[in-house]
Amino acid sequence: MQKKWLLSLVLVLTLSILAACGSGSSAGGDGGEEVTWKLNHIRPADTRTDKSANEFVTNVLDETEGRVNIEIYDNSQLGDYQLVQESVSTGEIEMQLATLGTNVDPSLQVAIAPYLVTNWEEAKQLYNSEDGMLNNYLSEQLEKQNIKLLAVYPQYFGSVFLAKEALDPKNPNVSKDMKIRVPAMKSFEEFGKGIGFVVTPLPASEMFTSLQTGVVDGVLGGGTELYYNQLSELGEYILPINTHFEAHYLTVNKDKFESLNGEDQEAILNVAKEFETAAFAQAEEEQNKYNELIEEEGVEVIELTDEEVKVFADKVRKDVWPIIESEYGEIFDDVKKELGI
């Protein structure tokens, strides 16, 4: 009798253990085990990007009731964003908030093509995660790398930084008789030439020295925030002609995301949507803030109306786009149709 009782007890305990193991087998599932992910971003601690990332992480933890914990690594602690994107693809690192890496898919460079959009409202329409035509394309291409695009995080519209006064700076049809640094990309080289400058392709790491030594008279390819933080002591003017739309992208390994239960996936998507909506408002305010800050450093911001910016955009779309559109493939034709061009 005692043996039968012991056998029954062992059987009950065994079944209980198996049931417990089965209930926790799905990471992030209903009542399942918690997951901890790594998120790399490329801005220093306490910047707007870092604060937004921390708020995103806090909201995800709250909305998933503690099941999805995300650890932030700021200022590219996990490595160069191109390499980290490859690690997100394999799942070695789960998430990143950064510029899109284009080593695997060069067509992603279309995101920073000159004058796809000229103002914040146009940017929201083309890049938003809900129905933005360009965002849909980026999402589809990233999925081929096993990466899910959660949200776009706008940074700024590009401007031109000048160390001396340009000839008729608001007129893109006049030669400026100035040499400016541009990124080593055909799109920016042709863009700089198309609006009247002599261009010198240089990496970002050489901007300060080339300006300081007079190798170039200005810089194209960044925004006023960058110029304020790195170059303001060397400049005289900012030409805010909205050269291109610069954004970072919040991405996650697709397999890791889909391993979560539906409730947690939906929670993360909702938090990401709020993250993106807030970022658009913040970015516009931030751009205005840096225009004011750089003026306090003695750099004049040359004010342009929307119509004056449009003159630059029209010229670039007419003269430069035909030269560079082959860099992006068929997507550029789709973008032109979307824009009615």
Side-chain angles (χ1 to χ4, degrees):
M1 188 74 176
Q2 187 178 15
K3 288 182 179 179
K4 290 182 178 179
W5 180 84
L6 287 173
L7 184 61
S8 298
L9 180 61
V10 169
L11 182 60
V12 169
L13 289 173
T14 302
L15 291 173
S16 298
I17 291 170
L18 289 173
C21 290
S23 67
S25 61
S26 178
D30 294 326
E33 64 189 52
E34 299 174 2
V35 297
T36 299
W37 290 350
K38 296 183 290 293
L39 167 62
N40 181 76
H41 75 72
I42 62 177
R43 291 297 179 90
D46 296 325
T47 56
R48 175 177 72 95
T49 300
D50 185 56
K51 292 175 182 177
S52 295
N54 275 279
E55 184 176 0
F56 171 80
V57 164
T58 298
N59 290 340
V60 166
L61 190 65
D62 289 344
E63 295 300 319
T64 61
E65 299 180 349
R67 289 185 295 272
V68 181
N69 179 51
I70 304 170
E71 298 175 346
I72 292 177
Y73 294 81
D74 59 52
N75 208 25
S76 300
Q77 289 183 52
L78 298 181
D80 173 79
Y81 72 93
Q82 295 265 17
L83 297 177
V84 172
Q85 182 166 308
E86 294 174 21
S87 294
V88 172
S89 176
T90 62
E92 181 181 353
I93 297 170
E94 289 81 8
M95 300 187 73
Q96 179 163 232
L97 175 59
T99 307
L100 290 178
T102 58
N103 286 345
V104 175
D105 183 357
S107 77
L108 297 178
Q109 292 181 20
V110 71
I112 56 170
Y115 286 123
L116 290 189
V117 291
T118 63
N119 57 56
W120 290 105
E121 192 55 41
E122 291 177 358
K124 290 175 188 176
Q125 292 175 6
L126 196 65
Y127 287 81
N128 84 82
S129 296
E130 186 172 351
D131 58 8
M133 176 266 176
L134 190 60
N135 195 292
N136 290 340
Y137 174 77
L138 299 176
S139 296
E140 291 170 2
Q141 295 304 109
L142 287 169
E143 284 204 2
K144 296 175 183 177
Q145 299 180 43
N146 197 35
I147 295 173
K148 182 173 182 61
L149 176 56
L150 294 174
V152 58
Y153 187 84
Q155 291 287 356
Y156 53 75
F157 274 98
S159 55
V160 182
F161 182 84
L162 300 173
K164 63 181 185 181
E165 187 173 5
L167 178 65
D168 201 0
K170 294 185 180 183
N171 187 350
N173 297 297
V174 171
S175 173
K176 306 298 184 293
D177 194 27
M178 293 179 69
K179 184 182 293 185
I180 61 170
R181 171 268 176 187
V182 297
M185 300 169 63
K186 182 177 180 179
S187 57
F188 279 99
E189 292 175 27
E190 296 298 336
F191 175 37
K193 290 188 288 187
I195 60 174
F197 292 99
V198 178
V199 301
T200 299
L202 291 171
S205 59
E206 296 182 23
M207 288 191 302
F208 186 92
T209 302
S210 60
L211 272 169
Q212 188 180 46
T213 58
V215 172
V216 296
D217 304 309
V219 171
L220 185 154
T224 304
E225 175 189 0
L226 171 70
Y227 304 147
Y228 170 77
N229 286 317
Q230 297 186 16
L231 307 174
S232 58
E233 65 189 88
L234 302 176
E236 295 290 337
Y237 300 95
I238 290 286
L239 188 60
I241 54 175
N242 293 358
T243 60
H244 67 289
F245 180 67
E246 183 74 34
H248 292 175
Y249 297 84
L250 181 65
T251 56
V252 63
N253 175 270
K254 187 170 180 285
D255 291 338
K256 295 290 180 72
F257 179 79
E258 292 180 349
S259 74
L260 302 177
N261 66 38
E263 181 182 348
D264 288 347
Q265 289 183 38
E266 188 66 24
I268 291 173
L269 291 173
N270 288 337
V271 173
K273 184 176 181 180
E274 294 170 359
F275 170 84
E276 178 178 303
T277 300
F280 266 102
Q282 294 164 358
E284 188 169 3
E285 293 173 0
E286 189 96 336
Q287 181 167 288
N288 293 334
K289 181 185 82 173
Y290 278 102
N291 281 338
E292 294 173 1
L293 287 173
I294 204 165
E295 284 204 311
E296 291 175 6
E297 295 296 314
V299 180
E300 179 183 345
V301 178
I302 300 172
E303 295 186 7
L304 290 92
T305 64
D306 290 345
E307 290 73 20
E308 288 171 326
V309 171
K310 188 175 182 300
V311 172
F312 279 87
D314 289 345
K315 176 173 175 54
V316 169
R317 289 171 174 177
K318 177 177 179 291
D319 296 341
V320 177
W321 277 13
I323 303 172
I324 66 173
E325 59 187 17
S326 61
E327 298 289 299
Y328 311 112
E330 295 180 4
I331 180 58
F332 209 75
D333 288 332
D334 295 337
V335 169
K336 288 193 292 184
K337 290 177 183 176
E338 180 75 11
L339 299 176
I341 297 173

